[in-house]
Amino acid sequence: MKNIGFIGTGIMGKPMAKNLQDAGYTLYFSEHFEPAPAELLGEKGFACPTPAAVAEAAEVIITMVPDTPQVEDVLFSDIGIAKGLAAGKVVVDMSSISPMATKEFAQKVEALGAWYVDAPVSGGEVGAKAGTLSIMAGGRDDIFEQVKPLLEVMGQNITLVGGNGDGQTCKVANQIIVALNIEAVGEALLFASKAGANPAKIREALMGGFASSKILEVHGERMVKGTFDPGFRIQLHQKDLNLALTGARELQLNLPNTATAQELFNTCAALDGSGWDHSAMIKALEHMSNHSIRD
């Protein structure tokens, strides 16, 4: 499998695609939505007019787009991947989308004789560039093993969680944990600052104890410095929490803290911060408290 289709070269997808190229794979990009990044074209990168053309050229087609409707469109529109699939080809969706829709997409793809793996990621832009993403996969064991060498180029912690849709379920769970950790770090630093302590020193001290976490390390520093360029945009985390809360209603679950985190993101959106990094949740807390930890 040396010919790989890659659709979705945004903040996450572009460095993921580059890592595949650096590992020796030839990539095919669709220009149905926007031009392929010029730096990815050349000896190991080729532009195709449509997702269907990408699927015809590649053995494995990776998608990395924002949400469920975009995945459905890329797969099943009149120029979609499904039009170019043949028996034995594999679609690997690395977007973060609805688990239930994922199961439907997998059934449709497999009805064409191809295979489907859902493999959403965690680790943000930093992990995408470094090739250290956590990857949560759903699909058949043998098909997972077939595409695992590709996943190992883009990530380190790679787990087959279960069947189709289970990877997406794991990603939703991941996003619940991440959101609540961001909220916890934000509240802690806000409390410390309002009490008169230096939030940067508080973060430094907490990094050596049981409260230490990747969120405190990376996003705590963003909060202290006020560097909220994405990263992972708030509007995308809102989408993921909406998947969690919609699923919770269907399962008759109560996720009260997830709902609170979503409301904080909604406050950021009301402050024109939909495009901020999700660590900027602290700005909602600061707004409600009329206190900034950076003043």
Side-chain angles (χ1 to χ4, degrees), residues 118-138:
D118 49 294
V121 305
S122 179
E125 184 182 12
V126 172
K129 288 180 176 178
T132 58
L133 294 168
S134 291
I135 302 176
M136 306 148 245

Side-chain angles (χ1 to χ4, degrees), residues 94-118:
M94 304 189 77
S95 319
S96 296
I97 68 168
S98 163
M100 293 305 298
T102 293
K103 294 178 182 181
E104 295 174 5
F105 297 164
Q107 290 173 354
K108 289 182 179 180
V109 166
E110 292 182 4
L112 299 171
W115 300 106
Y116 193 99
V117 175
D118 49 294

Side-chain angles (χ1 to χ4, degrees), residues 75-294:
L75 285 173
F76 303 116
S77 72
D78 291 340
I79 57 170
I81 289 169
K83 300 292 184 182
L85 289 177
K89 295 193 176 189
V90 184
V91 174
V92 180
D93 179 37
M94 304 189 77
S95 319
S96 296
I97 68 168
S98 163
M100 293 305 298
T102 293
K103 294 178 182 181
E104 295 174 5
F105 297 164
Q107 290 173 354
K108 289 182 179 180
V109 166
E110 292 182 4
L112 299 171
W115 300 106
Y116 193 99
V117 175
D118 49 294
V121 305
S122 179
E125 184 182 12
V126 172
K129 288 180 176 178
T132 58
L133 294 168
S134 291
I135 302 176
M136 306 148 245
R140 283 179 38 154
D141 289 12
D142 56 337
I143 305 304
F144 170 74
E145 291 298 329
Q146 186 177 333
V147 300
K148 190 175 180 182
L150 299 175
L151 303 180
E152 289 174 336
V153 172
M154 297 178 282
Q156 289 184 338
N157 181 29
I158 302 163
T159 306
L160 179 63
V161 179
N164 286 130
D166 290 346
Q168 295 293 353
T169 296
C170 186
K171 178 57 188 289
V172 172
N174 178 87
Q175 295 302 80
I176 292 171
I177 293 170
V178 170
L180 269 57
N181 271 274
I182 292 173
E183 181 179 355
V185 170
E187 290 188 9
L189 295 181
L190 183 64
F191 169 79
S193 176
K194 186 69 173 179
N198 183 332
K201 290 295 185 181
I202 293 292
R203 173 188 165 276
E204 182 181 338
L206 294 177
M207 282 299 300
F210 201 53
S212 179
S213 69
K214 198 70 175 178
I215 297 296
L216 180 63
E217 177 188 356
V218 177
H219 289 344
E221 183 177 32
R222 282 177 173 266
M223 293 174 188
V224 168
K225 293 182 176 179
T227 52
F228 298 124
D229 294 334
F232 188 75
R233 295 189 299 275
I234 280 174
Q235 63 193 42
L236 293 178
H237 211 146
Q238 285 180 293
K239 176 260 296 182
D240 292 338
L241 294 191
N242 185 56
L243 292 174
L245 294 169
T246 299
R249 285 193 294 271
E250 293 173 354
L251 295 169
Q252 297 184 321
L253 291 176
N254 184 14
L255 303 179
N257 292 318
T258 302
T260 299
Q262 184 73 307
E263 288 302 322
L264 291 170
F265 282 141
N266 291 344
T267 299
C268 289
L271 296 171
D272 293 327
S274 295
W276 295 338
D277 185 80
H278 57 170
S279 58
M281 181 192 282
I282 192 173
K283 290 175 73 69
L285 296 166
E286 290 173 328
H287 176 76
M288 292 187 293
S289 301
N290 195 29
H291 177 80
S292 171
I293 71 169
R294 292 167 299 283

Side-chain angles (χ1 to χ4, degrees), residues 57-80:
E59 297 143 338
V60 176
I61 305 94
I62 295 171
T63 54
M64 186 64 177
V65 298
D67 203 349
T68 307
Q70 287 79 29
V71 174
E72 184 173 23
D73 183 66
V74 164
L75 285 173
F76 303 116
S77 72
D78 291 340
I79 57 170

